[in-house]
Amino acid sequence: MDATYDGDVVRAGRSAREQFHDARGYGRPVDGDVHLAPVEAAHLLFRGDLDAVVDARPGTAGERLGFRAFLTSAAVSEVAFFLYKDLRDRGFYLSPARDGWVDEVSGDFVVYPRGRGPWNGAVAYRVRAVGERAAVTADDLATLAAVDADEGGAGVLAVVDEESEPTYFAVESPTMTGSTHHDIPEIAGDLAADRVLVWDPPAPLHERAFYGQRLDEGDAVQLSLVEAAYLAGQGTLSIAGDGGRNPAEIIGERGREVEGERFDRRLRIYAALRAAGIVPKTGYKFGADFRTYADVESVADLGHSERLVRVLPSGHTFTPRDLALDVRLAHGVRKEMVFALAHDEGVEWLSVGRLTP
Amino acid sequence: MDATYDGDVVRAGRSAREQFHDARGYGRPVDGDVHLAPVEAAHLLFRGDLDAVVDARPGTAGERLGFRAFLTSAAVSEVAFFLYKDLRDRGFYLSPARDGWVDEVSGDFVVYPRGRGPWNGAVAYRVRAVGERAAVTADDLATLAAVDADEGGAGVLAVVDEESEPTYFAVESPTMTGSTHHDIPEIAGDLAADRVLVWDPPAPLHERAFYGQRLDEGDAVQLSLVEAAYLAGQGTLSIAGDGGRNPAEIIGERGREVEGERFDRRLRIYAALRAAGIVPKTGYKFGADFRTYADVESVADLGHSERLVRVLPSGHTFTPRDLALDVRLAHGVRKEMVFALAHDEGVEWLSVGRLTP
């Protein structure tokens, strides 16, 4: 069976509509015929269900294109083809997210729940497909995270690697709340090179609210600069020999000396987490900015941290490889990977997890 | 007991020498007395073995400094102190790597095997200590990797995080050799957007030498651009419609279009690995450039990949956090993390692994 490529869609007749659309969810029926997206036509060529696509674009000689010629033509993106094939191989029906083809044009494909198709209305995933070397902006992820609430179906980023194998990431907007709220009496500390030492700490500081670390059991508590800057900003911490200056400013200056503008960004995210009742501690061992504990009643009774948080500037662009690294590591230690974007107007949280469709 | 800080070392008398050096490996004996490095004196103050250090620097008023004042003075680096304390807590004796104190001045501390000390000559580790936010150059790692061969003892990078907890990385120069050498007959392929499709592949191409992936079983093989560029450079692959141009050039151009200068760097490392009999495949899922297989006899009989390789430009600077991320992920999937530095004069390989002293 042949079909005709007009530069936009691949058109085929009634019997193709019955075989491909009605029975197997390809394309969109139009006046009793069927319109196939190029990627769908490529898949039908690959399977041998179509014999050729006739190139009927204006100015062409009506060449008959087989799978090989059609796939390597500009009509079809290889990334889209390998993704389409993978989802079909996994038993899904899916539609290219073209205007008029799907309920909401978002991402590249609308994937239906297994056993369903374009006839039912239910949506499992809305998938954006990119190659291993593509740039993925924070806005791209935010758009995927918004899918669930706005459109139904989960927002998914699919990355097709150099070996044409896709991996899938579910992108969501996590609700960041915890229950850690403890009163800390006022304290004083010494500013050392890049930490603050509190020599006579009240028990709630570390043992309840989980600020800092004990130098030794029952001994001084040393605070990281970001912890100290937050406590100083809350009016809880003063610094010995501050010369009458605001201790939050003194610590902020030191923080910017050792870490540049990242310090202020991390402090903002730190403060947003504390305000939400969540305890951030260094995520260094996991290659992240923070690991977080939502519900700390007592440090003696501490569970595992639940999340890893990476702090990023507004407008950050991800590479899929960096995403894969963060998400895989978090998965390996059974934590949720959360990206915190420091926008001028507030913090945006995005969680990214592995998905096997 | 008091001791005297002269701006360089902390001096104490015969009885201090007996107690601290002879019995417990602190400092260096000088004329029957002992000289302590400031970090050693800080540890003795912390333990209460020294009561105070008298500040005898020219122009000072001979103030008696306790642990608190001495630790937060400029005499002692907190990073060095927390590291020193951690290694002492683990049961090691160690010496600051000061000129005249140790056999070779390399890194910050010479750590002796457990149960040994500065009297024996044997060395377990030569440790460089940095804070979580320090910059670590490729040269720093290379220096640590060279330690084993040149000086005895393993080269170790110790990173002290915001919470003052050290983690340890063993740095080595791995021997990169494998046994994968298969003859491939000449082949032709089609260049698509960012891969090359070989429609009639000879069996050794994928099934023995593990180039590319099958589109489907028994079907076309698709090569990544870096695989294709390498095979074209070897004279094995030609490109359909090359217009008489060198196929390696055509693919290289495409590679630089999609990946910039990274493409040539990755190709160099790819070629070096293949020349060593090692098969590189994409490391995307692990957030690396390549995963590698040293001994591929047949793809049907493939084991797990042994290494993850990250390709870096000559002169790359690491952040400890990125190192921690890569090394932890590699450890979690039981692979060796290898950094490949593309110098003008050749490739430098550095492996970094977790170490528990």
Side-chain angles (χ1 to χ4, degrees):
Chain A
M1 187 186 292
D2 282 10
T4 306
Y5 178 51
D6 66 7
D8 177 35
V9 295
V10 175
R11 296 157 184 265
R14 168 173 306 269
S15 121
R17 195 211 70 208
E18 287 167 4
Q19 270 186 60
F20 303 150
H21 177 79
D22 302 355
R24 286 148 58 207
Y26 287 88
R28 179 178 175 234
V30 178
D31 301 334
D33 294 344
V34 67
H35 287 185
L36 301 162
V39 70
E40 295 176 308
H43 194 249
L44 289 166
L45 287 167
F46 170 71
R47 291 178 47 90
D49 294 328
L50 275 180
D51 298 316
V53 166
V54 177
D55 189 351
R57 286 176 298 168
T60 60
E63 200 184 348
R64 294 185 75 233
L65 305 173
F67 171 61
R68 176 176 169 174
F70 196 60
L71 180 64
T72 52
S73 77
V76 183
S77 136
E78 299 139 51
V79 162
F81 174 77
F82 288 115
L83 181 68
Y84 188 92
K85 176 175 179 301
D86 186 69
L87 285 165
R88 280 270 171 187
D89 289 348
R90 289 170 187 268
F92 289 99
Y93 288 178
L94 65 160
S95 297
R98 296 168 67 108
D99 207 11
W101 288 42
V102 294
D103 57 343
E104 290 282 344
V105 177
S106 168
D108 299 303
F109 293 103
V110 167
V111 182
Y112 307 106
R114 267 202 192 79
R116 305 285 196 93
W119 324 283
N120 301 92
V123 170
Y125 310 113
R126 292 179 197 267
V127 179
R128 186 181 153 88
V130 300
E132 172 177 345
R133 285 177 293 262
V136 179
T137 68
D139 279 351
D140 292 337
L141 292 187
T143 302
L144 287 168
V147 157
D148 190 28
D150 295 352
E151 300 159 22
V156 172
L157 179 71
V159 179
V160 176
D161 73 17
E162 278 191 337
E163 290 166 9
S164 305
E165 200 177 324
T167 46
Y168 297 88
F169 299 108
V171 186
E172 290 173 34
S173 295
T175 306
M176 303 297 282
T177 52
S179 65
T180 311
H181 299 282
H182 300 282
D183 289 331
I184 316 284
E186 290 188 15
I187 51 174
D190 282 349
L191 177 59
D194 68 353
R195 60 208 79 207
V196 169
L197 293 152
V198 180
W199 300 98
D200 300 302
L205 178 68
H206 178 73
E207 273 66 29
R208 306 293 305 277
F210 203 12
Y211 287 97
Q213 293 295 333
R214 289 277 187 189
L215 211 58
D216 249 6
E217 215 172 306
D219 208 325
V221 163
Q222 61 94 11
L223 302 169
S224 72
L225 286 181
V226 74
E227 290 174 321
Y230 174 74
L231 286 169
Q234 298 289 104
T236 305
L237 174 71
S238 60
I239 291 291
D242 60 8
R245 291 186 59 206
N246 180 337
E249 265 177 39
I250 298 175
I251 301 166
E253 262 173 30
R254 182 64 57 85
R256 283 184 290 277
E257 271 169 37
V258 298
E259 207 175 2
E261 58 169 356
R262 275 192 75 227
F263 182 78
D264 289 310
R265 201 153 56 224
R266 292 180 72 221
L267 179 56
R268 273 191 63 196
I269 306 300
Y270 183 94
L273 288 164
R274 277 283 179 187
I278 295 172
V279 178
K281 302 296 284 184
T282 180
Y284 158 74
K285 282 188 192 174
F286 306 105
D289 286 282
F290 301 116
R291 65 187 199 278
T292 65
Y293 302 81
D295 307 292
V296 180
E297 192 51 46
S298 145
V299 167
D301 201 22
L302 199 64
H304 288 288
S305 59
E306 303 95 17
R307 288 177 169 129
L308 299 180
V309 177
R310 182 177 291 285
V311 173
L312 297 169
S314 188
H316 177 77
T317 296
F318 297 84
T319 70
R321 196 176 292 160
D322 292 344
L323 265 181
L325 183 54
D326 276 340
V327 172
R328 180 156 195 140
L329 180 71
H331 184 88
V333 293
R334 297 163 193 274
K335 300 185 197 300
E336 184 182 32
M337 186 70 220
V338 173
F339 298 98
L341 289 145
H343 299 308
D344 287 343
E345 63 278 15
V347 178
E348 180 175 37
W349 310 96
L350 293 168
S351 74
V352 181
R354 282 167 69 165
L355 175 82
T356 308
Chain B
M1 186 183 295
D2 283 10
T4 306
Y5 178 52
D6 67 7
D8 177 34
V9 295
V10 175
R11 297 158 184 266
R14 169 173 304 269
S15 119
R17 196 211 67 209
E18 286 166 5
Q19 271 187 58
F20 303 150
H21 177 78
D22 302 356
R24 285 149 58 209
Y26 289 86
R28 180 177 175 234
V30 177
D31 302 334
D33 296 343
V34 67
H35 287 185
L36 300 162
V39 70
E40 295 175 308
H43 194 248
L44 290 166
L45 287 168
F46 170 72
R47 290 177 49 89
D49 293 330
L50 275 181
D51 298 317
V53 167
V54 178
D55 190 349
R57 286 174 299 167
T60 59
E63 198 184 351
R64 296 184 75 236
L65 305 173
F67 171 62
R68 174 175 169 174
F70 196 61
L71 179 65
T72 53
S73 78
V76 184
S77 137
E78 299 139 52
V79 162
F81 173 76
F82 289 114
L83 181 69
Y84 188 90
K85 177 175 178 302
D86 187 69
L87 285 164
R88 280 270 171 190
D89 288 348
R90 290 171 188 268
F92 289 98
Y93 289 177
L94 64 161
S95 297
R98 295 169 68 106
D99 207 9
W101 288 42
V102 294
D103 56 344
E104 289 283 343
V105 177
S106 168
D108 299 303
F109 293 103
V110 167
V111 182
Y112 307 105
R114 269 203 189 77
R116 306 285 196 93
W119 326 280
N120 301 92
V123 171
Y125 310 113
R126 294 181 197 265
V127 178
R128 187 181 153 86
V130 300
E132 172 177 345
R133 285 178 293 262
V136 179
T137 67
D139 279 352
D140 291 336
L141 292 186
T143 302
L144 287 167
V147 156
D148 190 27
D150 295 352
E151 300 159 23
V156 172
L157 179 72
V159 179
V160 177
D161 72 18
E162 278 192 337
E163 290 165 10
S164 305
E165 200 177 321
T167 47
Y168 298 87
F169 299 107
V171 186
E172 290 173 32
S173 296
T175 305
M176 303 297 281
T177 51
S179 66
T180 311
H181 300 281
H182 300 283
D183 289 330
I184 316 284
E186 290 187 17
I187 51 174
D190 282 349
L191 177 59
D194 66 354
R195 56 208 81 207
V196 169
L197 293 151
V198 180
W199 300 97
D200 301 301
L205 178 68
H206 178 72
E207 273 66 27
R208 306 294 304 279
F210 203 11
Y211 288 97
Q213 292 296 334
R214 290 277 186 187
L215 211 59
D216 250 6
E217 214 172 306
D219 208 326
V221 163
Q222 61 94 12
L223 302 169
S224 72
L225 286 180
V226 73
E227 290 175 320
Y230 174 73
L231 285 169
Q234 298 289 104
T236 305
L237 174 71
S238 60
I239 291 290
D242 61 8
R245 293 184 57 205
N246 180 337
E249 266 177 39
I250 298 174
I251 301 167
E253 262 173 31
R254 181 63 57 86
R256 283 185 289 278
E257 271 169 37
V258 297
E259 208 175 0
E261 59 171 355
R262 277 191 74 226
F263 182 78
D264 289 309
R265 200 153 58 224
R266 293 180 70 221
L267 179 56
R268 274 191 62 196
I269 306 300
Y270 182 95
L273 288 164
R274 278 282 178 186
I278 295 173
V279 179
K281 302 294 286 183
T282 180
Y284 158 74
K285 282 188 191 173
F286 306 105
D289 286 282
F290 302 116
R291 65 187 198 279
T292 64
Y293 302 81
D295 307 291
V296 180
E297 191 51 45
S298 144
V299 167
D301 201 23
L302 198 66
H304 288 289
S305 58
E306 303 95 18
R307 288 177 168 130
L308 299 180
V309 177
R310 183 177 290 285
V311 173
L312 297 169
S314 189
H316 177 78
T317 296
F318 297 84
T319 70
R321 195 175 293 160
D322 291 343
L323 265 181
L325 183 55
D326 275 341
V327 172
R328 178 153 197 142
L329 180 70
H331 184 86
V333 294
R334 296 163 193 276
K335 301 184 198 296
E336 185 181 32
M337 187 71 220
V338 173
F339 297 98
L341 289 145
H343 300 308
D344 287 343
E345 63 278 15
V347 178
E348 181 175 36
W349 310 96
L350 294 168
S351 73
V352 182
R354 283 166 68 164
L355 176 82
T356 307

